[in-house]
Amino acid sequence: MVLATAETTTSLDFGPAVALSCRECGARYDLGPIFACSDCFGPLEVAYAWTPPGDAGAAKVTREQIESGPANIWRYRALLPVPADVASHRNLAPGWTKLVKAENLGRELGLRSLHIKDDSGNPTHSFKDRVVAIALEAARNFGFHTLSCSSTGNLAGAVTAAAARAGLDACVFIPSDLEEAKIVMASVYGGRLVGIDGTYDDVNRFCSELIGDPLGDKWGFVNVNLRPYYAEGSKTLAFEIVEQLGWRLPDQIVIPVASGSQLTKIDKAFKELIALGLVEERPYKIFAAQALGCSPVSAAFKAGHDFVRPVKPDTIAKSLAIGNPADGPYVLDIARRTGGAVEDVTDAEVVDSIRLLARTEGIFAETAGGVTVGVLRKLVANGVLDPDAETVVLNTGDGLKTLDAVSALARPTAVIRPSLDAFRTAIADHS
Ligand SMILES: Cc1ncc(COP(=O)(O)O)c(C=O)c1O
Ligand SMILES: [Zn+2]
């Protein structure tokens, strides 16, 4: 086994995780704050005792053990790189969000069985609390005093909030032109929030430089040097969906894509549940959703490429605006291997889909959710999704964070004097 870094100590406690392994060449590394293979530069992933060719019996996790755990992501701690006592650590305990049976939306779209996994219910109102909670444990293990990230908005708020709860410093980096609510949320929890004149891809490049500089010493960048751990947090979305469906894999699932990490790990989680005998194996299809104004993966899928050509983002779905997605090629692999697809929608369709979801299910999604529901609608209309199959669609963030997307269209029906006459006239105008 290659020694990762001098930073590693013998007191690390990553629970069931045993190593990092290269997704490309399989090389193994000690658990450390590293993210790329030194042999082939492939991304590193967390490996467990049961990771093939390991021993599937090594986990010995049962449905009953999981079901008796807390109503948050720590019910899956035996499947994550975290210590057994993680639930007693100071953290935001995200997860166990609602899986909503979306009968109204399903009826409107012509889908027989549709569920929405509504991750806007997390502590900072996006799925990013899941990934940060795992990265936080890694930061503790490695003795980092500052939690950091490059962010398209949601991650910055999740990091500053988690750091506040854990008593760590935070310094997070965002493109300076993000939505007002994302900026406020990322700064209200304290720590330092730095806006950078440039795209997310510029911010990410800057953070990679900072890691190599003494300024960034002892900093845990959740999505850079802690990325293998961070990424494992997305598995909990898949674990919850399967458990909430009654320990069943969905037939088809639609997932938004920025860097592609979330989609890649949802697939990893389904495979782990099968390998561990926690769910019965059956085929599932994974569909990826992008906004047309930042659709490098969808463009590659449609062109039949296995590489992703970077783009300069221009879309209202700023949380998904990553022009050079690190896990893009893996998203292509997974969509093709499972029989899924990658599709995109225009900004107008994003707005329309936010309103459709709100009107039919009482769920107000941020623009990323509008992208996913929009792609769901398009895939059904194009006959790509099976209308009779059990379908899950993710809403990964809260509409209150991207009010501008709909504020011109979602206005009062009328503004009147407080009199019955005025009300009668107003509603007559709108009947
Ligand atoms: C609300 C929301 N959904 C989905 C994503 C996509 O995440 P990933 O980079 O894992 O593809 C992001 C990323 O920032 C996000 O903020
Ligand atoms: Zn490698």
Side-chain angles (χ1 to χ4, degrees), residues 1-4 18-20 28-31:
M1 197 178 277
V2 184
L3 193 64
V18 293
L20 295 177
R28 287 213 164 197
Y29 296 83
D30 283 344
L31 292 161

Side-chain angles (χ1 to χ4, degrees), residues 300-316:
F301 183 84
K302 291 174 183 177
H305 295 158
D306 56 9
F307 61 90
V308 173
R309 190 170 289 136
V311 300
K312 197 162 186 332
D314 180 13
T315 170
I316 57 166

Side-chain angles (χ1 to χ4, degrees), residues 189-238:
Y189 301 109
R192 283 162 291 170
L193 168 68
V194 179
I196 290 189
D197 293 328
T199 64
Y200 170 82
D201 300 286
D202 297 323
V203 177
N204 203 34
R205 251 192 315 277
F206 166 79
C207 286
S208 299
E209 257 182 68
L210 185 51
I211 287 176
D213 190 278
L215 266 174
D217 192 36
K218 290 277 172 201
W219 285 29
F221 289 79
V222 300
N223 56 339
V224 189
N225 58 352
L226 301 178
R227 190 170 181 88
Y229 310 94
Y230 155 98
E232 289 292 283
S234 285
K235 292 193 316 187
T236 62
L237 266 165

Side-chain angles (χ1 to χ4, degrees), residues 34-396:
I34 51 170
F35 57 100
C37 176
S38 50
D39 289 346
C40 76
F41 303 111
L44 301 182
E45 289 190 317
V46 174
Y48 302 86
W50 66 80
T51 302
D55 168 16
K60 295 189 199 74
V61 188
T62 65
R63 292 179 182 179
E64 292 69 28
Q65 276 167 6
I66 291 171
E67 285 165 356
S68 65
N72 56 53
I73 61 170
W74 305 133
R75 66 203 281 112
Y76 306 107
R77 64 190 175 280
L79 307 174
L80 297 167
V82 295
D85 65 348
V86 63
S88 66
H89 293 185
R90 273 182 289 145
N91 61 63
L92 295 174
W96 203 242
T97 55
K98 288 179 183 156
L99 183 72
V100 179
K101 189 153 178 46
E103 287 172 337
N104 299 334
L105 180 60
R107 196 176 312 114
E108 185 135 346
L109 298 183
L111 285 167
R112 194 179 51 79
S113 171
L114 176 64
H115 286 88
I116 297 161
K117 180 62 173 166
D118 187 11
D119 243 25
S120 64
N122 275 310
T124 69
H125 306 272
S126 89
F127 91 99
K128 295 288 184 181
D129 292 316
R130 299 174 182 274
V131 284
V132 171
I134 311 295
L136 172 62
E137 290 307 312
R140 281 197 172 108
N141 259 313
F142 298 131
F144 292 141
H145 54 63
T146 299
L147 218 51
S148 185
C149 67
S150 51
S151 171
T152 55
N154 285 309
L155 184 59
V159 164
T160 50
R165 176 69 60 88
L168 295 179
D169 290 337
C171 185
V172 297
F173 301 91
I174 55 169
S176 56
D177 67 348
L178 288 188
E179 302 93 340
E180 183 65 11
K182 299 246 172 91
I183 293 172
V184 170
M185 279 203 70
S187 72
V188 76
Y189 301 109
R192 283 162 291 170
L193 168 68
V194 179
I196 290 189
D197 293 328
T199 64
Y200 170 82
D201 300 286
D202 297 323
V203 177
N204 203 34
R205 251 192 315 277
F206 166 79
C207 286
S208 299
E209 257 182 68
L210 185 51
I211 287 176
D213 190 278
L215 266 174
D217 192 36
K218 290 277 172 201
W219 285 29
F221 289 79
V222 300
N223 56 339
V224 189
N225 58 352
L226 301 178
R227 190 170 181 88
Y229 310 94
Y230 155 98
E232 289 292 283
S234 285
K235 292 193 316 187
T236 62
L237 266 165
F239 294 156
E240 290 179 19
I241 289 166
V242 165
E243 186 179 349
Q244 290 168 323
L245 285 175
W247 293 105
R248 212 175 52 245
L249 290 164
D251 296 319
Q252 43 196 16
I253 180 165
V254 189
I255 304 169
V257 166
S259 73
S261 171
Q262 181 189 37
L263 183 143
T264 312
K265 298 306 165 190
I266 286 176
D267 178 56
K268 183 176 191 252
F270 287 162
K271 289 198 283 193
E272 286 180 358
L273 291 178
I274 294 167
L276 294 169
L278 285 163
V279 74
E280 198 177 310
E281 180 162 16
R282 62 179 184 141
Y284 57 84
K285 293 184 179 182
I286 295 191
F287 296 84
Q290 296 210 291
L292 180 61
C294 183
S295 52
V297 189
S298 155
F301 183 84
K302 291 174 183 177
H305 295 158
D306 56 9
F307 61 90
V308 173
R309 190 170 289 136
V311 300
K312 197 162 186 332
D314 180 13
T315 170
I316 57 166
K318 294 186 180 185
S319 57
L320 301 183
I322 298 186
N324 188 10
D327 290 308
Y330 299 119
V331 172
L332 292 171
D333 277 355
I334 291 166
R336 289 181 178 134
R337 172 173 54 75
T338 64
V342 190
E343 190 48 276
D344 51 70
V345 282
T346 64
D347 283 358
E349 288 171 301
V350 172
V351 172
D352 208 41
S353 303
I354 291 173
R355 297 173 78 208
L356 171 67
L357 178 62
R359 170 168 68 70
T360 53
E361 298 298 340
I363 294 174
F364 184 22
E366 77 141 83
T367 45
V371 168
T372 318
V373 171
V375 163
L376 169 81
R377 178 160 64 169
K378 190 164 174 179
L379 291 173
V380 181
N382 293 347
V384 180
L385 277 177
D386 176 356
D388 292 321
E390 185 153 66
T391 307
V392 174
V393 61
L394 302 190
N395 174 38
T396 48

